[in-house]
Amino acid sequence: MPAFDFLSVSADIKSMYLIAHITKKMNYYSLNKQAPNVSFKQAVVQALAPDRGLYFPENISPLKKTFFDQIEHFSNTEIAFEAIKQFVGSDIPENTLRSIIEETLSFDFPVIALDDHISTLELFHGPTLAFKDVGARFMARCLAYFNQDHNKEVTVLVATSGDTGAAVASGFIGLSGVKVVILYPSGKVSDIQEKQLTTLGQNISALEVKGTFDDCQAMVKTAFLDPELQNQMQLSSANSINVARWLPQMFYFMFAYKQINKKFSDIVFSVPSGNFGNICAGMMAQQLGLPIRRFVASNNKNNVVTKYLLTQLYQPKPSIQTISNAMDVGNPSNFIRIQEMYKNDFGRLKENLSSYSFSDDETRSAMLEMYKQYNYVADPHGAVGYLGCKAHLNKYPEDHCVFLETAHPAKFLTIVEDSIHEKVSIPSNILMLMDKEKKATKMVSYEDLKAYLLQM
Ligand SMILES: *Cc1c(COP(=O)(O)O)cnc(C)c1O
């Protein structure tokens, strides 16, 4: 092929060059293999296959190497478009998909080098100050598009331990044809998170459940299996089992690569992991050809994957409460997608994925160390990611490890301030929230939820 000058052609022509081979429909199959294949649209609307399996794309076509070599000449919108286009297929017209992406990505994703071997990728510059904003905003806009000429409303159910509900509430506010019902455990989310969930109104309802996050999740699952509800309404989920929430997280790894690939080589990502949606999306980006040396799954003491990589035994456990609470997951729902990507080949997976687990004390010390050594204030989740980088660099000192800073430190104010012995400044949009009135409906049992949904 003759040399192709990327810099002198328009965005549209760049896209045509890169994706000319993929304008067809993308099919998704259920990982339980007992349900029919569906298109992107159905996978998004249903969230989970009828056999309760997670959907997975039927094929993954790598992008051209030139795209990654020249990535710094592409805008974030163009990069995201190239990454996600094949997974959406013909279900959304290209121009609409571009607008959806542009609206989704209306904030920054900066990489900050702490030294020559460690950087942080800050994913908390969106409206709710945690990384889940991108997936939630993308999914909301896809659903709105699919629902534009339907009379049947979609009711999106979300169980949250804090950040997911906030991101989904903010992402879905004001969307016509979509109602959002958020279940959160009473007294177990931070004040800021509760305000983010309960003060929006409009098409967003918050249900305050007497119980734990696991209880909320169980109520959502029961609703999905309830034939009476299924007859009455189209239920969907906005947890990371939904492909429209999961796949846009690929963008982060590409945006980071764009910023540092000319400065550093042998790039590794350390991803603070709970349900393993984010790291699984990073591994998808690598399948598309993103030149990443290895992934590190950084865990708190909820370490089923760390143990699996040591012993080859996958043993889910009830979750343990930690200071990095968004990662308190005892049975990560997306790990099965990683297994599928590697065709259950343990040896190949281990070549590309390491995992380490850290205690709350180690996490607090890491926050203090980063503050003293680099004058950087991290939240507890980012701190677990930082510890993962340090563990990796112990073995591979020449690599450059980027840890994902998944939440703004102000979201975990007391823990951070107690760890670094300094005050943390609170962003203005959060301060404004604190004066707003909380509106939530209390519930105790599944029957309460069902009655609530049927009268909506
Ligand atoms: C959700 C969340 C995580 C974990 O992400 P997964 O995709 O579930 O692995 C990590 N940090 C924060 C702040 C989160 O909100």
Short mmCIF file of all heavy atoms in Angstrom, two decimals, residues 3 8 13 30 61 91 97 133 185 187 209 213 231 236 238 277 340 370 389 395 416 422-423 452:
data_model
loop_
_atom_site.label_atom_id
_atom_site.label_comp_id
_atom_site.label_asym_id
_atom_site.label_seq_id
_atom_site.Cartn_x
_atom_site.Cartn_y
_atom_site.Cartn_z
N ALA A 3 2.15 5.06 0.77
CA ALA A 3 2.08 5.83 2.02
C ALA A 3 0.80 6.65 2.03
O ALA A 3 0.40 7.19 1.01
CB ALA A 3 3.29 6.74 2.13
N SER A 8 -3.47 15.10 6.19
CA SER A 8 -4.03 16.05 5.23
C SER A 8 -5.45 15.70 4.80
O SER A 8 -6.00 16.33 3.92
CB SER A 8 -3.12 16.10 3.99
OG SER A 8 -3.13 14.84 3.40
N ILE A 13 -13.00 11.14 5.86
CA ILE A 13 -12.23 10.24 5.00
C ILE A 13 -11.37 9.32 5.86
O ILE A 13 -11.26 8.13 5.59
CB ILE A 13 -11.38 11.06 4.00
CG1 ILE A 13 -12.35 11.84 3.12
CG2 ILE A 13 -10.47 10.14 3.18
CD1 ILE A 13 -11.76 12.49 1.92
N SER A 30 -25.19 -14.88 23.95
CA SER A 30 -25.23 -14.99 25.41
C SER A 30 -24.12 -15.93 25.87
O SER A 30 -23.92 -17.00 25.29
CB SER A 30 -26.58 -15.54 25.86
OG SER A 30 -26.48 -16.01 27.19
N SER A 61 -12.82 -7.17 15.32
CA SER A 61 -11.86 -6.92 14.23
C SER A 61 -10.86 -5.85 14.66
O SER A 61 -11.26 -4.71 14.93
CB SER A 61 -12.55 -6.43 12.96
OG SER A 61 -13.70 -7.20 12.70
N ASP A 91 -26.93 -0.53 13.64
CA ASP A 91 -28.10 -0.20 14.46
C ASP A 91 -28.25 1.29 14.74
O ASP A 91 -29.33 1.74 15.09
CB ASP A 91 -28.05 -0.95 15.80
CG ASP A 91 -28.52 -2.39 15.65
OD1 ASP A 91 -28.81 -2.79 14.51
OD2 ASP A 91 -28.59 -3.11 16.66
N LEU A 97 -24.29 8.29 15.68
CA LEU A 97 -23.32 7.72 16.62
C LEU A 97 -22.24 8.75 16.96
O LEU A 97 -21.85 8.90 18.12
CB LEU A 97 -22.69 6.46 16.02
CG LEU A 97 -21.67 5.74 16.89
CD1 LEU A 97 -22.28 5.29 18.22
CD2 LEU A 97 -21.07 4.52 16.16
N ASP A 133 -19.39 7.91 34.53
CA ASP A 133 -20.14 8.87 33.73
C ASP A 133 -20.13 8.54 32.23
O ASP A 133 -21.16 8.68 31.57
CB ASP A 133 -19.56 10.29 33.92
CG ASP A 133 -20.03 10.93 35.22
OD1 ASP A 133 -21.21 10.74 35.58
OD2 ASP A 133 -19.22 11.62 35.87
N PRO A 185 -28.65 1.11 49.23
CA PRO A 185 -28.77 0.64 50.61
C PRO A 185 -28.77 1.82 51.58
O PRO A 185 -27.84 2.63 51.56
CB PRO A 185 -27.53 -0.24 50.80
CG PRO A 185 -26.55 0.23 49.80
CD PRO A 185 -27.32 0.83 48.65
N GLY A 187 -28.20 4.28 54.41
CA GLY A 187 -27.10 4.49 55.35
C GLY A 187 -25.76 3.95 54.91
O GLY A 187 -24.78 4.05 55.63
N VAL A 209 -33.38 1.40 50.28
CA VAL A 209 -33.69 0.03 50.70
C VAL A 209 -33.06 -0.25 52.06
O VAL A 209 -31.87 0.01 52.28
CB VAL A 209 -33.15 -0.99 49.67
CG1 VAL A 209 -33.38 -2.42 50.15
CG2 VAL A 209 -33.83 -0.76 48.31
N PHE A 213 -26.13 -3.57 49.76
CA PHE A 213 -26.08 -3.52 48.30
C PHE A 213 -26.52 -4.85 47.70
O PHE A 213 -27.24 -4.88 46.70
CB PHE A 213 -24.67 -3.15 47.83
CG PHE A 213 -24.47 -3.37 46.36
CD1 PHE A 213 -25.10 -2.56 45.43
CD2 PHE A 213 -23.67 -4.40 45.89
CE1 PHE A 213 -24.94 -2.78 44.06
CE2 PHE A 213 -23.50 -4.63 44.54
CZ PHE A 213 -24.13 -3.81 43.62
N ASN A 231 -44.51 -8.66 31.62
CA ASN A 231 -45.66 -8.41 30.75
C ASN A 231 -46.06 -6.94 30.74
O ASN A 231 -46.59 -6.44 29.75
CB ASN A 231 -46.86 -9.23 31.21
CG ASN A 231 -46.75 -10.65 30.72
OD1 ASN A 231 -46.07 -10.89 29.72
ND2 ASN A 231 -47.38 -11.58 31.42
N SER A 236 -34.97 -2.69 31.77
CA SER A 236 -33.57 -2.78 31.34
C SER A 236 -32.67 -2.51 32.54
O SER A 236 -33.14 -2.08 33.60
CB SER A 236 -33.28 -1.80 30.22
OG SER A 236 -31.97 -1.99 29.72
N ALA A 238 -28.88 -0.75 33.87
CA ALA A 238 -27.76 0.13 33.53
C ALA A 238 -26.54 -0.22 34.36
O ALA A 238 -25.67 0.60 34.57
CB ALA A 238 -28.15 1.59 33.73
N GLY A 277 -15.66 -4.54 34.95
CA GLY A 277 -16.12 -4.02 33.67
C GLY A 277 -15.06 -3.13 33.02
O GLY A 277 -14.79 -3.25 31.82
N GLU A 340 -13.95 -15.38 28.35
CA GLU A 340 -14.40 -15.65 26.98
C GLU A 340 -13.38 -15.10 25.98
O GLU A 340 -13.06 -15.74 24.98
CB GLU A 340 -15.77 -15.00 26.74
CG GLU A 340 -16.37 -15.26 25.38
CD GLU A 340 -16.87 -16.69 25.21
OE1 GLU A 340 -16.85 -17.47 26.19
OE2 GLU A 340 -17.27 -17.03 24.07
N MET A 370 1.75 9.04 48.32
CA MET A 370 1.59 9.82 47.07
C MET A 370 1.56 11.31 47.37
O MET A 370 2.08 12.12 46.62
CB MET A 370 0.29 9.42 46.37
CG MET A 370 0.50 8.41 45.27
SD MET A 370 -1.03 8.13 44.34
CE MET A 370 -1.86 6.99 45.41
N CYS A 389 0.50 -0.71 40.60
CA CYS A 389 1.63 -0.27 39.77
C CYS A 389 2.95 -0.58 40.49
O CYS A 389 3.89 -1.10 39.88
CB CYS A 389 1.56 1.24 39.52
SG CYS A 389 0.56 1.68 38.09
N LYS A 395 8.60 -6.11 39.75
CA LYS A 395 8.99 -7.24 38.90
C LYS A 395 9.53 -6.78 37.55
O LYS A 395 10.40 -7.40 36.97
CB LYS A 395 7.74 -8.10 38.63
CG LYS A 395 7.51 -9.21 39.60
CD LYS A 395 6.50 -10.15 38.96
CE LYS A 395 6.10 -11.28 39.84
NZ LYS A 395 4.84 -11.89 39.35
N VAL A 416 -9.94 10.30 52.95
CA VAL A 416 -8.76 10.90 52.34
C VAL A 416 -8.12 11.90 53.31
O VAL A 416 -6.90 11.88 53.54
CB VAL A 416 -9.12 11.59 51.01
CG1 VAL A 416 -7.91 12.32 50.42
CG2 VAL A 416 -9.63 10.57 50.00
N GLU A 422 -4.62 16.42 55.73
CA GLU A 422 -4.82 17.71 55.06
C GLU A 422 -6.28 17.84 54.67
O GLU A 422 -6.97 16.84 54.49
CB GLU A 422 -4.02 17.77 53.76
CG GLU A 422 -2.56 18.16 53.83
CD GLU A 422 -2.27 19.51 54.43
OE1 GLU A 422 -3.14 20.42 54.33
OE2 GLU A 422 -1.18 19.65 55.01
N LYS A 423 -6.75 19.07 54.48
CA LYS A 423 -8.10 19.29 53.97
C LYS A 423 -8.12 19.08 52.45
O LYS A 423 -7.14 19.38 51.76
CB LYS A 423 -8.55 20.72 54.27
CG LYS A 423 -8.92 20.92 55.74
CD LYS A 423 -10.36 20.43 55.99
CE LYS A 423 -10.64 20.28 57.48
NZ LYS A 423 -11.59 19.21 57.77
N TYR A 452 -44.43 -0.72 43.71
CA TYR A 452 -43.98 0.59 43.25
C TYR A 452 -43.90 0.64 41.72
O TYR A 452 -44.39 1.56 41.07
CB TYR A 452 -42.61 0.90 43.86
CG TYR A 452 -42.08 2.24 43.51
CD1 TYR A 452 -42.38 3.37 44.27
CD2 TYR A 452 -41.27 2.42 42.38
CE1 TYR A 452 -41.91 4.61 43.93
CE2 TYR A 452 -40.79 3.67 42.03
CZ TYR A 452 -41.10 4.76 42.82
OH TYR A 452 -40.62 6.01 42.47
#
